[in-house]
Amino acid sequence: MLKSLLAATAAAALLSVAACGQGANEEAGEAADTAYEQSTTGTTDLGQGPMEEAGEAVDEATEGAPSGTTPTTPPAESPTTTP
């Protein structure tokens, strides 16, 4: 019983860590928020700032790909016509 409880707890802990990973855009937003807070107040608020929230939204829209990267699928080729 104890082994199964420990195994379930370990599995839940691993899933929670995997779900909390930040994407590249969210990390950049967090860095921007931290830099702004340090320059204006001299302290860092551990809560989520506006740039981090925007980065999180971009990560969700781009499935975690960093902004400014090219898509992985090539564009469709247009049909060629002969004159």
Side-chain angles (χ1 to χ4, degrees):
M1 167 100 176
L2 182 60
K3 287 183 181 181
S4 62
L5 179 62
L6 288 174
T9 304
L14 287 174
L15 287 174
S16 67
V17 169
C20 292
Q22 291 182 332
N25 299 307
E26 185 176 359
E27 287 178 5
E30 182 178 8
D33 285 336
T34 301
Y36 175 76
E37 291 162 356
Q38 283 289 333
S39 67
T40 57
T41 65
T43 62
T44 302
D45 180 16
L46 297 178
Q48 214 170 357
M51 296 302 289
E52 185 177 357
E53 289 177 5
E56 186 176 1
V58 171
D59 282 336
E60 289 175 5
T62 61
E63 298 175 356
S67 60
T69 59
T70 56
T72 57
T73 55
E77 294 182 22
S78 59
T80 58
T81 57
T82 54

